[in-house]
Amino acid sequence: LNIMDKILEGLISSDHSVPVKRAIVKKVVEAAENDVTQEQCRALFTLTTRLILLGDDAFQKQIGLQVLEAYARYHRPEFELFFCKDFVLCLLQQGYGQLEHRDAAIIDYIHCCLRLLISCPSVLETFSVIQVEVLRMVCERPEPALCARLSTLLSDFMQCIPREKSGVLFCQQLVRTISCFQCFASEERELREYVGQVTKVSTLLQNIWKAEPATLLPSLQEVFAIISSTDPSFEPSIALASLVQHIPVQMITVLIKSLTTDQNVRDASMTKALSRMIDWLSWPLAQHVDTWVIALLKGLAAVQKFTILIDVTLLKIELVFSRLWYPIVRQGALSVLSHMLLSFQHSPEAFHLVVPHVRSLVQTLHTDGLPTSQTFLLQFTELIHCMMYQYSGFPDLYDHILEAIKDFPKPSEEKIKLVLNQSAWTSQSNSFASGLLRPAGKSETGRTGLINLGNTCYMNSIIQTLFMATDFRRHVLSLHLNGSNIVMKRLQLLFAFLAHTQRAAYAPRNFLEASRPPWFNVGSQQDCSEYLRFLLERLHEEEKTLHVLQLAKPKVASLVEPISRDTTISEDRKDSHLVEAENRCANDGRTLIERMFGGKLITGIRCMQCNSISEKEEPFTDLSLAFCPSSSSQGSPKAERPTEEGKVLCQGSVNGGSEAPESTNLATNVQYEPVRNEPPLSVPDLVNYFLAPEILDEDNAYFCEKCVSLQRAERTMKVVSAPEYLILTLLRFSYDAKSHIRKKILDNVIIPPALRLPVHASVTPVQWSSASSSPLQVDSPESSENLAKKLKPSQGEEEEHRKLRLDEAEKMTRGRETSVQSVPYMLSSVVVHSGVSSESGHYYSYGRNINGADGTQHPAGLSPVKQDSASDQAACSLCTSDQGDSLPNAGLEARDWLLFNDSRVTYTSLQSVQNITNRFPKDTAYVLMYRKQELPTLNGNEGQMANGMRLSAEPPLQKELLDAIIKDNKLYLQ
């Protein structure tokens, strides 16, 4: 033994070469066959154990291991006495020498010794000791390296694994140990080593679950307890993802249902669990993680846990998208991303979080040339097309994406609808969109957006449109309002916040409550045009009521007062114009709505039998423009003028018709023949169709009070008073009487930046027949003859009477003819409806970005036109457009227009406004607002209107409004 000891020590410390040392070791191993006493064996085992555990290098450990195996094989009883349960217990509890018991070398040594004793009866006692000690060890949360060595030992010797209750506890503690793993490596070799260690531990659990199925469910419960923990001081390792691939897939349905229906699981815990499962997508070798994540998402949707789904989607969608860059986890990440986006259909917020990253990903993968990348891009671009279809009202976000994916096939509309319908959550709640917007600074435009409070884009688009009506906004802000509950007061406060808040987006909750029509259901999608009409009417009636109260109680201060000279206004001459203008406007008897949006129409009906004429003057705040009937929907009308039937089909709450030939002349005897491949209609075409004469005949015949019967008649409409802001609503919703379906007319309409509206000089019209008035009657000279002769005239007399009536009618018409002025208008705002259905969709608006002191443009060529000749008069009676290239301020620059899309406000251009339907076929102009262009006066003063309605500057904020804004800004900054 001494000789052997000396040889080994000399061998270790000598300078012999490695081959020489190996030859010596071989001789030593061969000597193991010789007879050796028990004491000598024990001493030799101690010596080799010291080399194995405390050796300075790998060579020493290798020498000790070879000698130990050789002597243990030839002297098994002696080695069995040496490697007893007490020695193993001492190693596992106290270590060896300076080696701690938690050192991986001790586990490797025990593993080696167990292989040498596997056939010995005494090893069973050793197994029992190890069963207890390994449970204690995993409870001490060993590091990944030690845990991996222990897992290898237990995988080879399953007898060492605790049994029954201890086995369940061991699995649970091993799961918790995995959750504590951390990897601080940065080199690929170290990362691979870490992943390998985790894989060994998870494989051990897989083996235990197969051998003891009763341990599986408690283990999974422990996993959920860990990932659902809301303790902020603990963040479980994503190494837990390595366990997912070992859970039988057939258990998914039962487990998910159990989790989602458990009343003891709080929403906060479920949110944490789902978030951490999504983090598992980053684990490189895990399989089926995407399957489990999607199953849990579906399970939560089935029990209507939508708050959890919304929170987690908004929190994790960007992380899931970032995994698409890595091929090893790309497919699973795409599956989860697709489900999250396609099911999140109540708001575009989740999709818009990933939109900024789409182009770079597509461009990078498109150029790498790998077949796997191209296959992935086909699936990915299909997903993007579906999302842009679902939320098509964001052209400023999608233009660069469309350019990036133009080379990839676009799925059909039917396929997109099928995909969206299969993926949607089943909830009909509309309260999702609010409260989850992330705080952000204002956009580069400096403008404020409006938060969508649950399908309130119809209101947001109208508010921004009214706000961009410069003169209206300035007048609203200049009012002194004493009543706090009136709608005008809330509109004033809302305008003040839009102009001065530091928030990127403001939530107009108070204004929504005050201005929502009673028949509008909370949270439902509504018609923005209907809302606009109600709002203007409400403001108009409110002001009229307040004026009546003011007249009834002259000593009581008016609720609507113009700014007086003793208010806190700068003495600057520019601000003094505000006072003078407001005073003049307040004294003309009209409400602010009438002054800004009010116009007048005269509707006249001429009986074509007796030529009697009846006229009625009516106020309007907007013109509803129908589409002309086309050949495909209405046949080929041959009437001299548009038939009443065709016009009624187009004009109304439901209207029919599609793209028709562009009208070039609306004079008498124009034939409306449908022409294929005609250019799209323009706004002036629709205005001219609206003002065109109509023939009332057959079922729609006119009851003439003079003839006392139904007669064929001609109805005409003409504008006699032009509003300061002309609102045009394009009636895009048709009704199919056969199928009883409302449809949206998707025809493109050319929107000119400027147009001229024919306005007739106002005359006092003759009102419709009533108890106190009768229509204007143009009788023929024979009206004094006896009744019998009139009822039964001869053929010659009848012809003579007809000629006399026509001559008299012509004289009457010439006497009533007035000059027609072509009033110039400039495009101010456009509200766009995005969607293929008349029942749903999304609204956003474009607004002209006016930066001048008075906000007035005077483009060349927009001078008044007043003609007297017949030909010029006919030309002037048509609505026409002015070419944008002749207008120096037509909004052609990239920042001359703003796009308001709920909380988002971005710069855009007139070209984007005009081409929106060409680029996005579902997005169509719905409500247009044109601003009247003031004409230079003789003294050259262009700064304000002749009637004092145009203010030259923004009014100063009143103290009450200023205090409210300062208070809110402080709150926001805090």
Side-chain angles (χ1 to χ4, degrees), residues 528-538 622 624 729:
C528 73
S529 176
E530 183 181 4
Y531 173 76
L532 174 60
R533 289 194 196 97
F534 175 82
L535 177 60
L536 295 182
E537 179 66 20
R538 176 78 178 272
D622 73 304
S624 297
T729 302

Side-chain angles (χ1 to χ4, degrees), residues 4 7-8 11 18-33 59 63 66-67 70-71:
M4 185 68 68
I7 290 175
L8 291 176
L11 182 64
V18 173
V20 172
K21 290 181 178 181
R22 291 189 184 282
I24 296 174
V25 170
K26 184 179 179 181
K27 291 294 183 180
V28 172
V29 169
E30 290 175 353
E33 299 179 12
F59 183 69
I63 291 175
Q66 288 181 351
V67 174
Y71 281 81

Side-chain angles (χ1 to χ4, degrees), residues 539-695:
L539 294 172
H540 167 70
E541 292 296 332
E542 189 177 79
E543 187 174 348
K544 281 174 58 179
T545 302
L546 295 176
H547 277 303
V548 170
L549 293 176
Q550 179 186 4
L551 294 175
K553 298 180 180 180
K555 293 184 179 181
V556 179
S558 170
L559 291 175
V560 181
E561 303 174 12
I563 297 178
S564 59
R565 293 189 181 277
D566 58 355
T567 54
T568 56
I569 300 177
S570 170
E571 296 301 326
D572 189 281
R573 287 185 60 192
K574 180 168 66 176
D575 291 341
S576 68
H577 287 310
L578 301 176
V579 182
E580 296 170 8
E582 193 65 32
N583 284 330
R584 283 195 296 270
C585 293
N587 294 328
D588 70 357
R590 294 185 297 161
T591 65
L592 178 60
I593 300 303
E594 288 177 311
R595 299 197 303 271
M596 289 293 160
F597 305 103
K600 292 181 180 178
L601 278 171
I602 285 184
T603 303
I605 299 182
R606 180 177 65 87
C607 175
M608 300 182 72
Q609 175 64 28
C610 67
N611 285 305
S612 62
I613 298 175
S614 176
E615 289 187 338
K616 181 181 180 181
E617 183 178 275
E618 297 175 298
F620 70 87
T621 54
D622 73 304
L623 299 180
S624 297
L625 307 181
F627 284 73
C628 315
S630 68
S631 59
S632 61
S633 59
Q634 301 297 336
S636 303
K638 299 292 184 180
E640 294 179 351
R641 295 176 178 83
T643 64
E644 176 64 16
E645 178 187 2
K647 204 153 187 177
V648 167
L649 284 171
C650 288
Q651 295 178 349
S653 58
V654 288
N655 47 85
S658 57
E659 186 175 323
E662 184 174 354
S663 302
T664 57
N665 188 3
L666 290 179
T668 309
N669 297 326
V670 172
Q671 297 296 318
Y672 279 82
E673 295 289 346
V675 180
R676 296 183 181 275
N677 300 321
E678 283 286 336
L681 292 170
S682 66
V683 172
D685 292 334
L686 300 183
V687 175
N688 287 332
Y689 180 68
F690 175 80
L691 298 174
E694 300 179 30
I695 301 300

